[in-house]
Amino acid sequence: MGESGTDEGLTTIGAFAKASRLSQKALRLYDELGLLPPARVDPVTGYRLYAPAQLEQARLVAWLRRLGMPLARIRAVVGMDAPDAAAEVRAYWARVESDVAARRELAAFLVGQLEGEGREMENNDERLAVRYAASSDTGLVRESNQDAAYASSRLLAVADGFGAGGGPASAAAVGTFRELERSALPPGELLNALDEAVVRAGRAVREAAAEEDSGTTLTAMLWTGSRLALVHIGDTRAYLLRDGDFFQITHDHTLVRTMVDEGRISAAEAASHPQRDLLIRALSGRAGVDRPDVRLHDVRTGDRYLLCSDGLTSVVGEEDVRRTVAGAAGPEAAVRELTGLALRAGAPDNVSCVVADIESAEEAGSAEQAGSAGSAGKAGSTGDAGDVAGGATRATGAA
Ligand code: MN
């Protein structure tokens, strides 16, 4: 550019500013930042001269600025050919939308929390109860169980440890959240309490699993009386069955999920991707990665929740999971049948499931206590395994 040594066809910065609808000040800034260097700078006067062909690029810079794209990223985009630039803009926007989604959840949480005081009181009339079952199985291939699964009338949790200290890590994470079970949580304190618990859990994980590569996922739902606080990091999942619809209410923090969100690969390609296990967020107690999603979730009578580790979802298709969860007579049957499906599929990984039903307290009071038939088998090797019931347990949730 500009090596011809002639000013023929080049325009002054003033004319170029007018044509591109950018200010001269902006053009000088873009030059300094390397976004849009002029075609030629007069060696004597220092005047910037632009080629007409640069108009399109200048307009693109202006539009990308309006999109809020950071300058460094704009610099990369304007240097690309059109298809690559299109992919880059698409990827950028997917990231923006996911950031907004996370902030939307936080905003909703804060609104819910600020409104919470009144809601809790309203709901005192309609006492809800939680019926639950949990199971953690080593599977057929792994030598040890690094998952932890736990369920009580106030807490549902599944964690999937990884690395040499994976077992202690998952147990430590769930154990930290069990401390919250014992304390009263006023609605106004909930977000702070969860945030502190996340920090404590990270610390506990690091203490329990000193190995550099160790950590754990965690998907936990803490019952507050009328709502569930959901804390989630990694690729363990929570699903909700409501009015016959079955949907995942957590977002996998995996590389492949991000690639699907950014439009780089399809969901089908993600399922067989060689790096499908790679987590982009996990609890390890090391700065920068311990940022769980925290959300307040309204519960309804009739809701059925499933929390599970990837040892279930990586070998049992979502439709089979849905059918089993929807068809099971109760939480204990659901947990047993889901674990059975994973075992029949070869269970290459540890398999953990927690299923919980939300009932009205009256309904729960008249329901028959289910027997503890059929232990889900080799319960987890973690400290939480003692509370992982093979059979059903029931308790009123409005403690
Ligand atoms: Mn796993």
Side-chain angles (χ1 to χ4, degrees):
M1 279 195 271
E3 62 273 72
S4 68
T6 166
D7 289 357
E8 209 168 303
L10 300 186
T11 59
T12 63
I13 190 168
F16 191 73
K18 197 169 269 178
S20 65
R21 278 175 260 141
L22 291 162
S23 69
Q24 294 191 31
K25 193 176 157 197
L27 288 172
R28 282 193 294 271
L29 177 68
Y30 295 172
D31 180 16
E32 279 155 23
L33 296 170
L35 294 178
L36 188 70
R40 200 167 95 81
V41 178
D42 188 291
V44 180
T45 62
Y47 288 159
R48 293 169 168 89
L49 297 166
Y50 292 85
Q54 289 186 283
L55 259 185
E56 211 174 316
Q57 205 180 12
R59 292 219 174 102
L60 179 59
V61 170
W63 289 122
L64 294 173
R65 292 277 284 161
R66 193 186 285 193
L67 205 55
M69 186 181 275
L71 294 171
R73 200 145 182 184
I74 294 177
R75 195 182 302 135
V77 171
V78 296
M80 292 171 175
D81 59 19
D84 285 350
E88 191 63 20
V89 172
R90 190 187 299 120
Y92 166 73
W93 195 249
R95 181 58 58 90
V96 169
E97 291 197 330
S98 106
D99 287 351
V100 170
R103 290 166 60 199
R104 186 193 303 133
E105 287 192 0
L106 179 59
F109 193 116
L110 289 169
V111 168
Q113 176 166 290
L114 292 166
E115 291 176 347
E117 207 83 45
R119 298 279 300 282
E120 296 286 328
M121 303 193 45
E122 264 172 49
N123 272 298
N124 267 351
D125 294 339
E126 191 213 346
R127 286 168 62 89
L128 298 177
V130 189
R131 212 155 74 89
Y132 54 84
S135 151
S136 189
D137 194 293
T138 306
L140 302 174
V141 174
R142 297 277 169 94
E143 281 180 5
S144 67
N145 190 348
Q146 296 196 319
D147 282 2
Y150 176 78
S152 74
S153 59
R154 289 199 67 191
L155 179 68
L156 313 170
V158 169
D160 181 347
F162 56 84
S170 63
V174 172
T176 302
F177 275 81
R178 288 185 58 187
E179 291 164 17
L180 290 182
E181 278 190 291
R182 293 186 280 274
S183 49
L185 286 174
E189 290 301 311
L190 189 59
L191 189 54
N192 291 338
L194 292 174
D195 203 42
E196 283 160 19
V198 167
V199 173
R200 280 203 309 278
R203 209 177 295 142
V205 165
R206 193 171 46 189
E207 278 164 19
E211 297 88 346
E212 195 56 34
D213 65 333
S214 299
T216 185
T217 73
L218 176 69
T219 300
M221 300 185 88
L222 186 73
W223 179 243
T224 70
S226 62
R227 282 173 294 173
L228 284 163
L230 174 64
V231 175
H232 164 72
I233 186 165
D235 66 351
T236 36
R237 293 179 176 177
Y239 289 89
L240 167 60
L241 179 74
R242 174 178 286 174
D243 302 330
D245 290 326
F246 185 67
F247 40 93
Q248 188 179 342
I249 58 174
T250 50
H251 187 90
D252 293 348
H253 298 140
T254 56
L255 179 69
V256 290
R257 183 67 244 172
T258 305
M259 290 167 79
V260 170
D261 292 344
E262 293 182 350
R264 295 188 201 186
I265 58 172
S266 69
E269 285 166 331
S272 58
H273 196 279
Q275 287 180 295
R276 62 186 173 277
D277 291 337
L278 202 69
L279 296 174
I280 52 172
R281 277 154 71 183
L283 268 185
S284 69
R286 287 164 193 89
V289 283
D290 296 356
R291 286 179 298 104
D293 295 332
V294 177
R295 183 161 23 127
L296 212 49
H297 181 83
D298 276 304
V299 299
R300 286 196 215 152
T301 306
D303 280 353
R304 173 170 286 178
Y305 293 89
L306 164 68
L307 276 61
C308 61
S309 63
D310 67 338
L312 175 71
T313 48
S314 62
V315 293
V316 182
E318 188 157 296
E319 175 51 27
D320 288 334
V321 173
R322 184 202 66 77
R323 201 175 23 236
T324 305
V325 170
E332 65 289 347
V335 156
R336 190 172 58 241
E337 288 164 22
L338 289 168
T339 306
L341 284 177
L343 292 171
R344 279 197 291 285
D349 192 5
N350 309 142
V351 186
S352 296
C353 310
V354 169
V355 172
D357 285 353
I358 307 297
E359 303 174 339
S360 74
E362 284 171 29
E363 203 184 331
S366 62
E368 200 169 307
Q369 173 83 39
S372 60
S375 158
K378 301 157 272 180
S381 63
T382 68
D384 298 296
D387 293 287
V388 176
T393 320
R394 186 206 302 144
T396 52

